[in-house]
């Protein structure tokens, strides 16, 4: 085995074609975050992006995209932005993981959404978690029947709100895979507001993430592209989503809605309509990602699995990294495993978000406190 480390942008067309060939050959790799196009885009924006090209007998056997940070700390490509990572290789390829890290000049590689069961990393998996999917391989109607079986009450409630939204706000229409940059701007503004409102870090406060999203929106090849959907009531946008796709799989990424219409649950209404549009477009699956919201449990009709774990070589930086990361990872797993704890944590974050938003508004308006005290509006 020969391992050469380069930047994704340095890969030639033959190497990129080999990447695509390996990805298509293994169904577990059918995820746009594992596509060469995503790696090349990340490389344009971040100088720590690398890919190990693994050759065997003069033929490329695999690719390992990753990020190399200070002190040899390795992270998955895209880090907290992505929901899947791993080796792009045949399922039979097994490397010495520590030797791979050595070739990549990494002291540690921490992963939390790795394709489960890859032979190279399987010995280092500490937890394997389900990622629910909407599976349309038997058709949209078969998927909808599964959703109804999962929770007939939820489906009935959403369909009622869907009709109510259309009746009171205007006829509903879903724009599938729109290329309009203004629609993307609206969606990202909603998402930023959601992050702040719920106490999360606003990812779109970082210009490079906005630029990455815009770059992905412009992609529209047969095997890879961005998919922007928007649900309208009349002519008014009320809920949308931006995700990435391969030829057959759409991955959930940035869903958001206008809170003015929250009483209609427009996000879930949008998801149902998006599912139908995705099936009509020939997609086989929508990957909703692991953990999080309860709606995934009743929209799912299948499950993929991703692994959490850590590979390290003996070093001071790896030891420091372990001390800083392990307690946090354990706490996160405990919370995700217990719905009551997840809901409590979510409420706390939302409360924090409301307080922070209020403080920001007061800082932006020096007279806000005085106006509120006197009843001025």
């Amino acid at each position: 085995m020969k391992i050469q480390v380069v930047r994704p942008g340095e890969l030639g067309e033959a190497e990129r074609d080999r990447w695509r060939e390996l990805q298509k050959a293994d169904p577990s790799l059918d995820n746009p975050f594992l596509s060469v196009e995503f790696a090349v885009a990340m490389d344009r924006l971040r100088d720590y992006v690398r890919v190990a090209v693994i050759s065997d007998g003069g033929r490329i056997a695999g690719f390992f995209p990753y990020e190399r940070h200070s002190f040899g700390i390795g992270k998955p490509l895209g880090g907290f932005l992505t929901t899947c990572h791993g080796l792009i290789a045949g399922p039979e390829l097994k490397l010495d993981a520590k030797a791979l890290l050595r070739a990549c000049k990494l002291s540690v590689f921490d992963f939390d959404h790795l394709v489960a069961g890859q032979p190279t990393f399987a010995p280092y998996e500490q937890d394997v978690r389900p990622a629910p999917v909407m599976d349309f391989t038997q058709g949209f109607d078969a998927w909808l029947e599964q959703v109804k079986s999962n929770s007939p009450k939820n489906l009935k409630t959403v369909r009622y709100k869907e009709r109510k939204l259309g009746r009171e706000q205007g006829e509903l229409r879903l724009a599938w895979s729109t290329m309009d940059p203004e629609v993307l701007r609206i969606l990202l503004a909603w998402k930023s507001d959601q992050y702040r409102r719920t106490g999360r870090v606003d990812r779109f406060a970082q210009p490079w993430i906005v630029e990455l999203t815009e770059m992905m929106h412009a992609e529209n090849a047969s095997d890879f592209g961005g998919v922007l959907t928007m649900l309208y009531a009349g002519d008014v946008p009320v809920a949308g989503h931006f995700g990435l796709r391969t030829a057959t799989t759409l991955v959930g990424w940035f869903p958001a809605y206008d809170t003015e219409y929250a009483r209609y649950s427009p996000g879930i209404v949008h998801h149902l309509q998006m599912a139908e549009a995705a099936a009509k477009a020939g997609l086989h699956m929508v990957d909703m990602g692991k953990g999080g919201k309860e709606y995934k449990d009743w929209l799912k009709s299948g499950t993929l699995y991703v692994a959490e774990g850590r590979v390290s070589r003996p070093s001071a930086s790896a030891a420091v990294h372990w001390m800083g990361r392990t307690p946090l990872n354990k706490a996160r797993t405990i919370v995700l495993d217990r719905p009551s704890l997840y809901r409590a944590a979510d409420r706390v974050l939302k409360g924090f978000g409301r307080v922070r938003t209020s403080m920001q508004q007061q800082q932006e308006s020096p007279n806000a406190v005085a106006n509120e005290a006197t009843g001025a509006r």
Side-chain angles (χ1 to χ4, degrees):
M1 289 285 182
K2 178 184 176 183
I3 300 175
Q4 180 185 11
V5 175
V6 298
R7 298 190 64 153
E10 296 171 349
L11 296 173
E13 198 54 45
E15 294 165 314
R16 298 185 188 195
D17 286 344
R18 176 59 175 160
W19 185 313
R20 297 184 186 103
E21 178 185 0
L22 289 167
Q23 186 180 14
K24 289 180 181 179
D26 186 349
S28 73
L29 302 180
D30 185 20
N31 187 296
F33 289 125
L34 300 178
S35 297
V36 65
E37 290 84 356
F38 183 73
V40 171
M42 282 291 300
D43 183 33
R44 291 175 185 165
L45 299 172
R46 304 281 87 182
D47 60 8
Y48 46 64
V49 174
R50 300 290 185 273
V51 59
V53 182
I54 304 155
S55 301
D56 185 11
R59 180 172 172 77
I60 294 177
F63 299 87
F64 176 57
Y66 65 97
E67 297 178 3
R68 185 180 186 277
H69 294 265
S70 300
F71 307 107
I73 302 301
K75 297 182 181 180
L77 181 66
F80 63 91
L81 283 175
T82 64
T83 60
C84 188
H85 41 260
L87 271 171
I88 316 302
E92 74 288 345
L93 181 67
K94 182 176 183 179
L95 304 174
D96 180 329
K98 294 187 178 182
L100 176 62
L101 262 61
R102 186 179 306 111
C104 295
K105 297 182 180 179
L106 299 178
S107 57
V108 62
F109 180 67
D110 202 10
F111 55 87
D112 59 4
H113 289 81
L114 190 96
V115 176
Q118 291 197 328
T120 297
F121 295 105
Y124 302 94
E125 293 177 355
Q126 297 168 356
D127 193 16
V128 175
R129 307 190 65 78
V133 302
M134 306 181 200
D135 186 343
F136 309 129
T137 52
Q138 302 301 313
F140 173 76
D141 291 338
W143 170 78
L144 194 59
E145 282 300 312
Q146 181 62 57
V147 172
K148 185 176 180 180
S149 176
N150 292 344
S151 180
K153 181 179 179 181
N154 278 330
L155 182 59
K156 183 178 180 180
T157 299
V158 172
R159 287 306 196 197
Y160 167 76
K161 290 186 176 183
E162 181 180 46
R163 293 190 298 270
K164 185 177 175 65
L165 174 60
R167 185 172 61 251
E168 296 181 353
Q169 302 297 332
E171 183 178 358
L172 299 187
R173 171 178 62 89
L174 183 82
W176 167 262
S177 198
T178 174
M179 300 304 294
D180 189 340
E182 177 62 18
V183 175
L184 181 64
R185 187 195 66 77
I186 291 170
L187 179 70
L188 299 192
W190 289 344
K191 197 65 181 178
S192 286
D193 176 68
Q194 178 192 343
Y195 285 139
R196 294 191 296 268
R197 211 170 4 92
T198 57
R200 273 75 170 182
V201 174
D202 181 6
R203 295 176 180 180
F204 298 112
Q206 300 186 53
W208 78 267
I209 295 181
V210 176
E211 187 174 354
L212 173 66
T213 307
E214 292 171 345
M215 289 170 60
M216 296 295 90
H217 181 223
E219 291 276 355
N220 193 27
S222 59
D223 292 334
F224 180 88
V227 178
L228 175 61
T229 56
M230 182 62 75
L231 178 67
Y232 292 85
D235 294 326
V236 179
V238 295
H241 172 265
F242 179 69
L244 301 181
R245 62 155 181 84
T246 62
T248 55
T249 295
L250 172 66
V251 172
W253 206 7
F254 299 121
Y257 61 87
D258 187 339
T259 55
E260 183 177 342
Y261 301 93
R263 62 189 180 280
Y264 301 105
S265 299
I268 302 298
V269 172
H270 165 272
H271 261 56
L272 287 177
Q273 295 210 8
M274 182 182 72
E276 184 172 10
K280 287 181 178 178
L283 293 172
H284 298 171
M285 182 184 300
V286 174
D287 183 342
M288 295 184 283
K290 73 170 184 177
K293 303 299 183 180
E294 293 179 2
Y295 74 83
K296 296 179 183 181
D297 286 335
W298 66 273
L299 289 182
K300 76 176 183 180
S301 58
T303 304
L304 301 176
Y305 292 92
V306 291
E308 301 176 5
R310 183 176 185 273
V311 187
S312 65
R313 298 190 298 124
S315 69
S317 57
V320 171
H321 179 267
W322 179 86
M323 287 188 291
R325 289 289 297 166
T326 298
L328 175 61
N329 289 341
K330 287 184 177 179
R332 181 183 61 189
T333 298
I334 290 171
V335 170
L336 290 175
D337 279 342
R338 293 165 174 79
S340 60
L341 286 178
Y342 179 88
R343 289 192 294 270
D346 192 50
R347 286 195 299 270
V348 169
L349 284 171
K350 288 179 179 177
F352 174 74
R354 287 192 294 270
V355 171
R356 184 168 61 180
T357 299
S358 176
M359 292 176 65
Q360 289 174 342
Q361 291 173 344
Q362 292 177 13
Q363 290 172 353
E364 291 168 2
S365 177
N367 296 322
V369 176
N371 288 342
E372 185 174 352
T374 60
R377 292 292 182 270

